[in-house]
Amino acid sequence: MSLTAIALLLSLSTAATEQTNARETPACECEQGRSRQLGGHTFLFPILQQSAFVSSYVGLHEGVVVYDVPDLPIGSLGLQDVSLTGFQQTLDLGLRITPWLGLWGQARGIAYTGMTVGSFVSDGASYRVGGDAGLVVRLLHFDSSGTQLSLRAGAGLQGGREFTLLPLLSSIVDTPGVTLVSILRGNLGELLIVPMSESSVNGGAYFAQKLGTPVLGLQASASAMHAWRTRKPFEPTTGARVDQDTTAFRFNLAVALAADFNPLGVPLALMGEYLFTAGSQSEVALARTDLNTSSIALGLYYSGRPNLQLGLGGVAVLHAEPRIGRDADGNLAKSGSPSINYGQLMLRYIW
């Protein structure tokens, strides 16, 4: 049973007790969840951006990802359309030190595998684990107008492995004097497994605003991230791994609009989100790639308790970053624009 399912069962098992306590205690006396309320509106934590709120919370998110890459160059096999599916899980934490200062952190893992013969040959399977952490500082807070502005900054680390047949096949075809027997006796593990690592720094400004009635709330942000990634494929001609370094800079603009119908007696909330990402990426032996990606998300949430956010969400990433492969001459080359679609179950407890 997954961590999210266990947490969901525990949360539901205490719902009756908390509802009884809510009848005995006036709503204004219940402090749990108040850190994400402004002007009578309870704000949701978005999917595509972080929030402007300094809160203590623990959250679990898990879901399934479908990743399609058109026209990926995979050597002598030419251009192939690659389809991958994956599973991701995230642990989300926050600690409110003072009303204006807090800590935040995330730990996440994701695993992919190819769904077709061409996909498995070119990409095989992979997994990545990592996380990031940082500070959040509240700059402005006006409960009367329902306005809040905060700054966030942090750093992250990530590592993983890629398992693919393509380097093995390329080694047999392209390396003079190399036979399948010699590979099986020597460098099979090195050829099949490619380690990767990534480090990053990030920061941005986050804004929340109640829109008129307690039903509507707007959140927006402007943030940036700089990342350094290294892949270490094995080169059979030298008998050693080589570093393939990538640097990327991303600038993000995000907005989220939520309608919470709990003030009208219906404990449900709906939130739509949009994320625009611009920037650049530099890959070894390739010219710089300009990034221009749009993502949209829609989530449906239970909003009957201010200290609980429970919901289902779906995300579509349009024109994602191109993948890097090799053409028939062995040179690095780019794929077409991938598309990423995923759905997730979200559970977060706030206190």
Side-chain angles (χ1 to χ4, degrees), residues 5-298:
I6 294 172
L8 178 58
L9 290 175
L10 292 175
S11 174
L12 293 178
S13 68
T14 61
T17 301
E18 294 201 8
Q19 289 173 357
T20 300
N21 294 336
R23 297 189 192 101
E24 297 172 355
T25 304
C28 62
E29 296 179 11
C30 182
E31 292 299 323
Q32 291 187 328
R34 289 291 300 273
S35 60
R36 63 177 179 133
Q37 294 180 338
L38 285 172
H41 178 80
T42 300
F43 285 82
L44 299 168
F45 289 90
I47 301 174
L48 299 180
Q49 60 177 310
Q50 293 179 302
S51 78
F53 298 98
V54 182
S55 303
S56 293
Y57 58 83
V58 58
L60 289 169
H61 319 267
E62 65 178 24
V64 177
V65 184
V66 177
Y67 185 17
D68 293 314
V69 185
D71 299 330
L72 178 65
I74 53 174
S76 59
L77 295 179
L79 300 178
Q80 296 288 324
D81 292 336
V82 173
S83 180
L84 308 173
T85 188
F87 177 80
Q88 64 86 21
Q89 191 161 56
T90 301
L91 173 64
D92 196 13
L93 300 170
L95 177 61
R96 187 183 189 188
I97 300 174
T98 71
W100 55 270
L101 177 65
L103 301 173
W104 60 269
Q106 294 181 340
R108 56 185 173 271
I110 185 167
Y112 281 105
T113 185
M115 296 301 294
T116 64
V117 174
S119 300
F120 192 78
V121 168
S122 61
D123 268 52
S126 65
Y127 75 87
R128 296 178 183 178
V129 294
D132 50 0
L135 291 171
V136 52
V137 179
R138 192 180 73 186
L139 298 182
L140 299 174
H141 173 83
F142 300 108
D143 190 67
S144 58
S145 62
T147 305
Q148 184 155 313
L149 176 66
S150 298
L151 297 179
R152 289 179 178 267
L157 292 173
Q158 182 176 255
R161 296 289 187 272
E162 300 173 4
F163 306 91
T164 175
L165 294 174
L166 186 58
L168 173 62
L169 299 178
S170 299
S171 178
I172 296 173
V173 173
D174 301 332
T175 306
V178 173
T179 65
L180 178 60
V181 174
S182 65
I183 290 176
L184 290 175
R185 289 177 177 176
N187 302 319
L188 178 62
E190 286 83 358
L191 286 167
L192 293 179
I193 300 174
V194 180
M196 63 80 58
S197 61
E198 180 179 299
S199 59
S200 62
V201 293
N202 60 80
Y206 297 82
F207 175 76
Q209 177 65 56
K210 185 192 74 170
L211 299 179
T213 71
V215 173
L216 297 177
L218 175 72
Q219 298 182 72
S221 66
S223 63
M225 182 184 73
H226 198 287
W228 300 264
R229 179 182 300 173
T230 299
R231 296 178 72 253
K232 294 179 176 292
F234 183 79
E235 179 56 58
T237 57
T238 62
R241 295 192 180 276
V242 296
D243 290 349
Q244 294 181 345
D245 296 321
T246 302
T247 61
F249 174 79
R250 300 179 182 89
F251 179 73
N252 303 307
L253 294 173
V255 62
L257 179 63
D260 184 0
F261 303 105
N262 192 54
L264 305 179
V266 180
L268 292 175
L270 188 66
M271 181 164 61
E273 304 180 49
Y274 174 76
L275 169 65
F276 172 75
T277 299
S280 62
Q281 178 171 290
S282 298
E283 180 87 21
V284 61
L286 283 176
R288 190 184 72 175
T289 300
D290 292 327
L291 305 178
N292 188 341
T293 301
S294 294
S295 302
I296 55 175
L298 183 64

